[in-house]
C-alpha cells in the first residue's frame, strides 16, 4: 500500500468518524468471555445463604448437618472470616457539626445481626452448585426479629431501633453545603418562591450479566488471583487488598467481558472474601455466579433520595437561590460511594446551567433495613438536574411565567463563560442558549398545540416537557497510557478504564491512529489485567475518554519522541532534523523517511541502538488525568396519556447535546439512546417496593418492570459540540447524560399532560395505576369544587 492509500485508510478511522465497534463481531457470535464462561481445573462451587429477615439478632447457626451432606467441602460463617478487613465507605465526609461521617465496617458474613433481606449469612462450598444449594437448605438459622425500618423517615423517628449500635439515630452523615444565612435572606426577600417535595425512586440496577467471580490461591507464591466482573481491575484490586489484609503484589485481578454495570459492579462485595478464603483453605479455585433472584436483593441498588426543593425568584423571574433538604437512603450498609450522590454530587449538579448565585443543600444519609445503595448511572447528576428542572416548571405555573422564557432568562450566556458557580465549579465551555434554541426548533415546539388538538380528538391528553441539563463529570485520577508495538505487528493500548458495554476499543484506537498514524485495524486494547497495568481509575463518572484519552495522547507524544531518537539511527540523521507527520519519521528537507510501523519492525529485527537511548518505541506512561468537564444539553419529550387507563406513550423525543469533541458519533448516539431508555425505565416503570417487614415485593421480573423496545420511541439526536478546554481532546463525556435529559423532560411532559386536570406534580414512576389514580382524585376534587360553588 502506498503512502496515499495509507492516509486514506486512516481518514476513515479518524476522530469524528462513526467507526463500528471492534468487539461486536466477536460478541454477536457468542465468542465473548464473561466471568461465568471461565472454568478452572479442579474448581469448587460456592452458594451464599442469605437472610430472610430484614432486621434481627443471630441467635444460632447450625451447620453440622449441612457439612455432612454429599459433596460439601466447607461451610464458612462470620466467625471464620473475622481475620479479614471490613467494607467501608471510601469518602472523607464530615457532618455539619464537624464530626466525621460514621462508617461502621461491613463484615463479609453477618456475625451479630442481619440488617436487610439478602444479607449474607453463610457460604457453602461444594463439588458442584446443586450440592452447595442443597446443603444451604440444611443450615439451621435462628434469628431474633428486631423492629424494621425501610424508609429514612422511619429510621430517624424518635425511639427508632439502632441498626448499628455505634450509630444512634441511624444517621451516618448530616451533610450541609452553603451559607444558610444568605440563602435564608434571599428567600425572605424574594418576590416569588416555590416549594416541592420530590422523590427520586429506588431502582434495581439489573445489568444483563449477573455478578460472578472465581477466587484462586497459589500457596507457593502466597498470591491470590481473582477473576471477576468490575468497572476497573485496579480499583477492585485495591479493595480486595484491604479486605484480605494483604499487599498489592499478592493480589492479581482479571476482568474479561462485562455485561453491563452502571455503577453496580464497581464496588467490593462481601461474597468476594468468601471465595478467596475458600480457595486458600481448600487449595483449589472456588467459583460463584449470582442468580437473578439473589441479585435483586444483594446487588447495590440505585437512587432512593427524597428532597424538599425550594426556588427563590425576584419579580422578573431571576433565580436568587435554591435550597434542598432531605434524605439519602443508605440501606442496611454503607456502600463505598453511597453518600456521594445525594450530597456532593447533588451540590455540583443541581444548579445546572443557570445563573443561581446562592444554594444550600442539607441531606441526611440514613441507614435502613433495605439493600445497600451505591452510585447508579449518573450518581447524583441526573438527580440534581431533575430537582432544578421540576422546580422551574413548577415555578412557571405557580408564579405565572412562561417555562421556556424562564429558562432563557436564567441560562448562563456564552459570553459569561468561564463561569464560577455557587457550587465552586468553573464551567470552561458551552453555549446553553443556542442548544435550547436548537432543541426547540428540532422538536417543533411551535407546532405542539396542533398535535395536542389531534390527540384530544382521539381521547388522549398530550404533554410536552423540556429538560435542560449540565453534568459535572468525575474528577481527574491517575490513568495509564501504555503503548506497545507487538511482535505480531499489532499495537496494544494498555489503560485502566474498563469497557463494560461502552465500546472503548474503537474510539481509543481512533485516537491512537490519528496521533501516531498506526493502522486502526492493528490496534488492540488491554484493560482487564491488573498485572499489566501501572494505574487505573476504572470507568465511571463519564470520564473514560477524558482520562484514558488524555493518557493515550500523552503516551503517543512520548512514542514520537523516542521514535525520533530511534529513527535517527535508522535514517542516519540527527534527531533534531527528524520530523513526524502522518505516521512517518522524515528527515527535514529530504525524501528520507520511515513509517512508524516499519521502524517498530526494524527495532524488533535487531536495529543496533546505543545503550544510553531508548531501546524500543514502547511506552508505559501514567497520566495525572483530566479535570472534570461539563457535558450539557436539552432534551424535549412529548407524551400521550390515556385518561381511561393511565397509560403513557412517548410519541416524540428530541435531544441536543454538547459532549465536546465527538470521537465516534455512532457510539455517542448509542450512549444517549441507552441513557434515555434507562430514564424511561425510572420515570414510567421501575420501582423497588418493600413491605412493612422489609420483604422485597419487587424481587423478580414478574414484579419489577424494566423498559423494553416498545417503550422507546425513535430518538431524534443532534449534536452541538463546544470543545472542552480542560483536556487535549476537548471531550466532555457522554455516558450518563441520557438519564439527566430523559428524567427531566419525561416527567415535565407527563405533568404538562396532566395539567389538563389541574395536577401540578406527580412522582416517579408515573405508572398507569399511579397516573389513573391521580386523574381520578383530581376529577373528584374538581367535582367537589364545582358543587361547593353551586
Amino acid at each position: 500500500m502506498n503512502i496515499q492509500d495509507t492516509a486514506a485508510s486512516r481518514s476513515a478511522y479518524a476522530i469524528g468518524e462513526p467507526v463500528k465497534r471492534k468487539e461486536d463481531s466477536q460478541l454477536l457470535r457468542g465468542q465473548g468471555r464473561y466471568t461465568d464462561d471461565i472454568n478452572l481445573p479442579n474448581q469448587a462451587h460456592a452458594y451464599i445463604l442469605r437472610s430472610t429477615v430484614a432486621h434481627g439478632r443471630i441467635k444460632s447457626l447450625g451447620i453440622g448437618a449441612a457439612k455432612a451432606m454429599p459433596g460439601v467441602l466447607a461451610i464458612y460463617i462470620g466467625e471464620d472470616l473475622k481475620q479479614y478487613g471490613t467494607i467501608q465507605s471510601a469518602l472523607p465526609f464530615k457532618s455539619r457539626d464537624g464530626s466525621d461521617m460514621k462508617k461502621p465496617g461491613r463484615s463479609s458474613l453477618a456475625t451479630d445481626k442481619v440488617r436487610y433481606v439478602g444479607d449474607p449469612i453463610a457460604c457453602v462450598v461444594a463439588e458442584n452448585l446443586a450440592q452447595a444449594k442443597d446443603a444451604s437448605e440444611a443450615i439451621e438459622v435462628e434469628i431474633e426479629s428486631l423492629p424494621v425500618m425501610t424508609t429514612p423517615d422511619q429510621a430517624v423517628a424518635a425511639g427508632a431501633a439502632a441498626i448499628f449500635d455505634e450509630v444512634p439515630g441511624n444517621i451516618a452523615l448530616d451533610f450541609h453545603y452553603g451559607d444558610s444565612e444568605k440563602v435564608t435572606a434571599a428567600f425572605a426577600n424574594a418576590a416569588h418562591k416555590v416549594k416541592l417535595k420530590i422523590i427520586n425512586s429506588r431502582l434495581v440496577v439489573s445489568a444483563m450479566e449477573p455478578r460472578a467471580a472465581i477466587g484462586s490461591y497459589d500457596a507457593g507464591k502466597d498470591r491470590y488471583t481473582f477473576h471477576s466482573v468490575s468497572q476497573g481491575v485496579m480499583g477492585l484490586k485495591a479493595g480486595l487488598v484491604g479486605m484480605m489484609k494483604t499487599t498489592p503484589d499478592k493480589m492479581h485481578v482479571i476482568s474479561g467481558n462485562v455485561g453491563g454495570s452502571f455503577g453496580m459492579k464497581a464496588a467490593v462485595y462481601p461474597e468476594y472474601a468468601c471465595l478467596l478464603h475458600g480457595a486458600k483453605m481448600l487449595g483449589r479455585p472456588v467459583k460463584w455466579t449470582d442468580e437473578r433472584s439473589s441479585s435483586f436483593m444483594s446487588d447495590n441498588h440505585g437512587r432512593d433520595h427524597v428532597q424538599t426543593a425550594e426556588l427563590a425568584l425576584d419579580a422578573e423571574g431571576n433565580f436568587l437561590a435554591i435550597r434542598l433538604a432531605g434524605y439519602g437512603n443508605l440501606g442496611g450498609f454503607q456502600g463505598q460511594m453511597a453518600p456521594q450522590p445525594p450530597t456532593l454530587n447533588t451540590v455540583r449538579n443541581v444548579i445546572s446551567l443557570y445563573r443561581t448565585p446562592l444554594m444550600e443543600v442539607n441531606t441526611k444519609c440514613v441507614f435502613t433495613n433495605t439493600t445497600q445503595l451505591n452510585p447508579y448511572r449518573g450518581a447524583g447528576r441526573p438527580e440534581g438536574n431533575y430537582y432544578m428542572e421540576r422546580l422551574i416548571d413548577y415555578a412557571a405555573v405557580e408564579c405565572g411565567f412562561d417555562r421556556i422564557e424562564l429558562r432563557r432568562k436564567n441560562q448562563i450566556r456564552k459570553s459569561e463563560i468561564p463561569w464560577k458557580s455557587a457550587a465552586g465549579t468553573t464551567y470552561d465551555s458551552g453555549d446553553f442558549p443556542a442548544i435550547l434554541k436548537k432543541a426547540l426548533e428540532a422538536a417543533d415546539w411551535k407546532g405542539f398545540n396542533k398535535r395536542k388538538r389531534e390527540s384530544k380528538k382521539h381521547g388522549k391528553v398530550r404533554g410536552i416537557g423540556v429538560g435542560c441539563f449540565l453534568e459535572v463529570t468525575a474528577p481527574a485520577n491517575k490513568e495509564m497510557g501504555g503503548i506497545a508495538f507487538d511482535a505480531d505487528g499489532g499495537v496494544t493500548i494498555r489503560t485502566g478504564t474498563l469497557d463494560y458495554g461502552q465500546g472503548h476499543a474503537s474510539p481509543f484506537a481512533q485516537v491512537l491512529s490519528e496521533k501516531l498514524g498506526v493502522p486502526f485495524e492493528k490496534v488492540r486494547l488491554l484493560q482487564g489485567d491488573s498485572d499489566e497495568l501501572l494505574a487505573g481509575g476504572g470507568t465511571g463518572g463519564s470520564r473514560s475518554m477524558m482520562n484514558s484519552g488524555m493518557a493515550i495522547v500523552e503516551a503517543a507524544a512520548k512514542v514520537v519522541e523516542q521514535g525520533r531518537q530511534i529513527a535517527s539511527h535508522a535514517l542516519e540523521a540527527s534527531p533534531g532534523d527528524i520530523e513526524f507527520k502522518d505516521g512517518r519519521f522524515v528527515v527535514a528537507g529530504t525524501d528520507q523517511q520511515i513509517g512508524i510501523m516499519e521502524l517498530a519492525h526494524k527495532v524488533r529485527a535487531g536495529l543496533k541502538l546505543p545503550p544510553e537511548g531508548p531501546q524500543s518505541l514502547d511506552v508505559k506512561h501514567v497520566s495525572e488525568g483530566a479535570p472534570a468537564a461539563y457535558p450539557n444539553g436539552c432534551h424535549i419529550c412529548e407524551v400521550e396519556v390515556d385518561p381511561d387507563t393511565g397509560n403513557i406513550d412517548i410519541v416524540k423525543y428530541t435531544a441536543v447535546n454538547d459532549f465536546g469533541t465527538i470521537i465516534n458519533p455512532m457510539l455517542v448516539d448509542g450512549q444517549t439512546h441507552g441513557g434515555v431508555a434507562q430514564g424511561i425505565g425510572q420515570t414510567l416503570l421501575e420501582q423497588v417496593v418493600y413491605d412493612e417487614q422489609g420483604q422485597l415485593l419487587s424481587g423478580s421480573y414478574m414484579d419489577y418492570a424494566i423498559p423494553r423496545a416498545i417503550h422507546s420511541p425513535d430518538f431524534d439526536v443532534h449534536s452541538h459540540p463546544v470543545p472542552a478546554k480542560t483536556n487535549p481532546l476537548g471531550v466532555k463525556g457522554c455516558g450518563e447524560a441520557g438519564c439527566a435529559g430523559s428524567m427531566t423532560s419525561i416527567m415535565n411532559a407527563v405533568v404538562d399532560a396532566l395539567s389538563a386536570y389541574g395536577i401540578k406534580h406527580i412522582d416517579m414512576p408515573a405508572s398507569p395505576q399511579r397516573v389513573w389514580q391521580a386523574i381520578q382524585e383530581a376529577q373528584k376534587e374538581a367535582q367537589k369544587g364545582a358543587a361547593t360553588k353551586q
Side-chain angles (χ1 to χ4, degrees), residues 21-23 499-508 525 667 671:
R21 301 185 351 154
K22 279 175 169 278
E23 66 272 25
D499 180 349
Y500 48 89
Q502 293 87 346
H504 287 178
S506 287
F508 287 4
L525 178 62
L667 298 190
Q671 286 291 304

Side-chain angles (χ1 to χ4, degrees), residues 45 60 67 107 111 156 174 178 220 232 285 319 343 357 409 435 510 565 574 579 590 593 598 612 629 708 754 764:
H45 294 263
S60 65
K67 287 182 73 172
S107 301
T111 54
V156 302
D174 184 7
F319 298 169
T343 57
K409 177 183 285 289
I435 286 175
Q510 286 175 260
Q565 297 180 56
S574 168
E579 301 172 345
T590 74
Q593 56 184 274
E598 183 183 353
E612 66 274 9
R708 303 187 182 201
L754 297 181
M764 301 181 286

